[in-house]
Structure formats: C-alpha cells, structure tokens
Amino acid sequence: MDTVNPEPRSCLPSAASALFGAAMGCAAWSLTAWARAYCDAGYDAGGRFELTVLLPLLVACEAAAGLLALATGRRLALQAPAPFHRALPTLLVAVATVGPAWWFFATRGTLADYPGDSGHCPPSNIPPQWPDWLPA
C-alpha cells in the first residue's frame, strides 16, 4: 500500500450513518406528530404546519449529525486500540442521532400544560403508552 495514496475507503459507513440519522429524524417527527394528535395538544392547524416545516429540516440535521459523528469517531479512533476502530464511531453516531431525536420529542411532542381536548393524556401531555423509564 502506498503511503501517499492510501486505499480508498468504502462509502458504505458514511451512507449508513447518514441513513441512520435520517431515520432517527423521521422517527422523532413521527412520534412527535402521533403524541400531539393522540393528546390533541398542539395539533391544530398551526401545529401541523410547524411539524410539516420541521420534517425536512429535522431529517437533514439528523443525517448531518450522523456524518459528523462518524467523522469525529474515525478521527478519535485513529490511535485507539483495534476494538475501538469500529466501536467508537458507531457509538458516537448512535448517541449523536438518538439524543437529539429524544430531545425533539421531549420538547416539541409533549407540550406540557397545553390545553389538550382528547382526555387521553394527563396535563403533561405525555401519552400513557410512553414508558415511564424514558423521560419526556
């Protein structure tokens, strides 16, 4: 292998990281829309418009976060022992995409003290199906 022109890397990890980030963005948006509709809190015409505008932005930002986390993980794993070469970038991609998706649902999906009309949710507007061990 030539040190000046190393072997080209596969684009599969980058594509997978971007796709995972985009999927997290779609999942967060879908969960947020479902929670708002179920609790009837912030799902009026303005709320639906807000979510529609945020969908492409959220998907693009999550995909970019996945790519940036992969690049950062690769950079940090350069001098790390062999097991960390794949584990560190993968862990960073998961944390960098799942964390913001969770935050988005907690801040935009559960509008605390918003007057909901469905009667299915408590005043916190957290759907009863949401697990207690996951803060929202």
Side-chain angles (χ1 to χ4, degrees):
M1 182 171 90
D2 186 15
T3 57
V4 176
N5 290 323
E7 292 180 18
R9 287 191 181 178
S10 170
C11 67
L12 189 60
S14 298
S17 297
L19 187 60
F20 183 75
M24 282 293 101
C26 286
W29 182 86
S30 178
L31 186 61
T32 299
W34 169 79
R36 282 187 176 192
Y38 184 82
C39 295
D40 196 25
Y43 201 66
D44 52 356
R48 281 187 294 235
F49 178 74
E50 172 196 11
L51 289 177
T52 302
V53 169
L54 286 177
L55 174 63
L57 182 64
L58 185 62
V59 170
C61 287
E62 286 278 354
L67 288 173
L68 287 173
L70 179 69
T72 303
R74 282 182 173 169
R75 176 72 62 175
L76 292 174
L78 282 176
Q79 302 300 326
F84 292 106
H85 285 288
R86 294 212 193 273
L88 185 61
T90 304
L91 180 65
L92 284 178
V93 167
V95 169
T97 55
V98 172
W102 187 359
W103 173 84
F104 182 78
F105 171 73
T107 58
R108 303 307 315 150
T110 58
L111 303 173
D113 298 327
Y114 191 94
D117 295 336
S118 72
H120 294 99
C121 298
S124 65
N125 287 323
I126 299 173
Q129 298 89 344
W130 186 253
D132 292 334
W133 55 272
L134 281 174

